[in-house]
Amino acid sequence: MSEIAEVKPGKIADWINSLEPGRYSAKIVGKVPKTFFTNAQSAMSDKTDLLIDFDFSEATFGALPKNPFKKFICMSSVKLPKGLPVGNPNWVNPEGICRKSFEDCDNLESVEIIDGDSDLYTYDSVLYKDTTAVFCPRKRSGEVKIKDGTAGIDVKAFELCQKITKINFPDTIEYIGESAFSCARSLTEIILPPSVRSIGFRAFESCQSAKHIIIPPTIKRLPDRSLSGLQCDGCSVELNEGLTEI
């Protein structure tokens, strides 16, 4: 990896276009305008052999554009300052930071908010809002520990995280959202604690590597396709007698 380059926001496109294939680190210095995001996105659009670790921890931001980091295809990690506005992922094009802020960031491994507060923070490279895990980068790999005190996993939070092998859930988790772990194809086990009371539609769909599955007695209903697509040869599956619908 190269040395960290200090890049002014207005020069981001020129800097990206000057790079040879490889992995680089950029510390963004100064105030970041909305045009930064479109310029960076355009410069990255044909760079399939480039990875960039972005550090915005000492930058300042004006108003964020909608889906600010969408299609930052070269971004491999990002550090953000605290205090950025929180976006609503239920909107088609939310302003602020949320899951949709990182759509099509297919090489993203890590998100970190420096000294984040209760509204928006990160833990183990996963983005949280209040007591809900809302987004995990697609290239995050290995074992993930969900923060103690977390109450829920949001809709599509870990969708397409195909390199994650294990999730450690705390005993505070109460709900798993729709498609929360859909297509997490390397996940080797699904072990839910007794605190979980609801599982969403397609929550663990196509988790084809899962060989050890435990559904606690608190779950009375498994929604349609919540466990579909499993490769069940050699699986150990523990369902509870209280299930009324599968």
Side-chain angles (χ1 to χ4, degrees):
M1 188 182 297
S2 64
E3 295 182 358
I4 298 174
E6 287 197 354
V7 183
K8 293 182 178 180
K11 298 294 185 180
I12 188 61
D14 290 341
W15 181 75
I16 291 173
N17 286 326
S18 73
L19 300 176
E20 298 292 332
R23 185 163 185 163
Y24 299 84
S25 296
K27 187 176 184 66
I28 308 302
V29 293
K31 186 171 183 177
V32 180
K34 283 187 175 181
T35 53
F36 168 89
F37 298 93
T38 52
N39 291 340
Q41 181 190 96
S42 177
M44 291 183 204
S45 62
D46 60 350
K47 303 291 193 299
T48 58
D49 49 8
L50 195 64
L51 293 174
I52 303 173
D53 299 303
F54 281 98
D55 183 353
F56 296 90
S57 59
E58 296 181 15
T60 57
F61 290 80
L64 290 175
K66 297 175 180 178
N67 304 324
F69 295 101
K70 184 174 182 179
K71 294 185 179 179
F72 270 44
I73 61 172
C74 300
M75 186 165 70
S76 49
S77 72
V78 59
K79 292 182 180 179
L80 298 170
K82 69 178 180 180
L84 294 177
V86 180
N88 186 340
N90 295 319
W91 295 358
V92 175
N93 293 303
E95 296 178 355
I97 302 299
C98 63
R99 168 177 51 83
K100 286 188 175 179
S101 303
F102 304 100
E103 281 188 343
D104 302 318
C105 293
D106 292 340
N107 286 304
L108 188 60
E109 303 166 359
S110 171
V111 176
E112 181 181 358
I113 297 179
I114 307 300
D115 298 324
D117 52 32
S118 61
D119 287 337
L120 199 66
Y121 59 96
T122 50
Y123 179 82
D124 202 14
S125 299
V126 175
L127 182 67
Y128 289 78
K129 180 181 182 296
D130 299 324
T131 59
T132 303
V134 298
F135 171 73
C136 181
R138 285 187 179 177
K139 283 295 178 73
R140 174 71 168 82
S141 62
E143 187 172 329
V144 175
K145 176 178 171 57
I146 303 299
K147 188 177 185 297
D148 290 343
T150 299
I153 309 296
D154 205 10
V155 171
K156 298 183 178 182
F158 289 79
E159 184 183 43
L160 292 170
C161 290
Q162 300 191 40
K163 292 190 172 185
I164 289 176
T165 57
K166 185 177 180 180
I167 300 288
N168 290 318
F169 294 102
D171 59 6
T172 53
I173 291 286
E174 297 178 1
Y175 64 92
I176 309 289
E178 180 178 318
S179 298
F181 295 92
S182 178
C183 295
R185 299 185 189 278
S186 297
L187 196 62
T188 59
E189 61 182 31
I190 301 169
I191 301 178
L192 303 182
S195 56
V196 177
R197 298 187 178 278
S198 67
I199 298 175
F201 175 66
R202 292 182 169 178
F204 294 95
E205 183 179 41
S206 297
C207 292
Q208 58 192 36
S209 297
K211 299 299 182 184
H212 187 195
I213 301 165
I214 297 178
I215 305 299
T218 46
I219 299 298
K220 305 301 180 186
R221 174 180 176 272
L222 284 178
D224 186 33
R225 300 176 70 174
S226 55
L227 291 172
S228 67
L230 299 179
Q231 303 294 325
C232 290
D233 290 346
C235 278
S236 168
V237 181
E238 298 179 30
L239 304 177
N240 69 82
E241 295 181 357
L243 278 174
T244 59
E245 185 176 347
I246 299 177

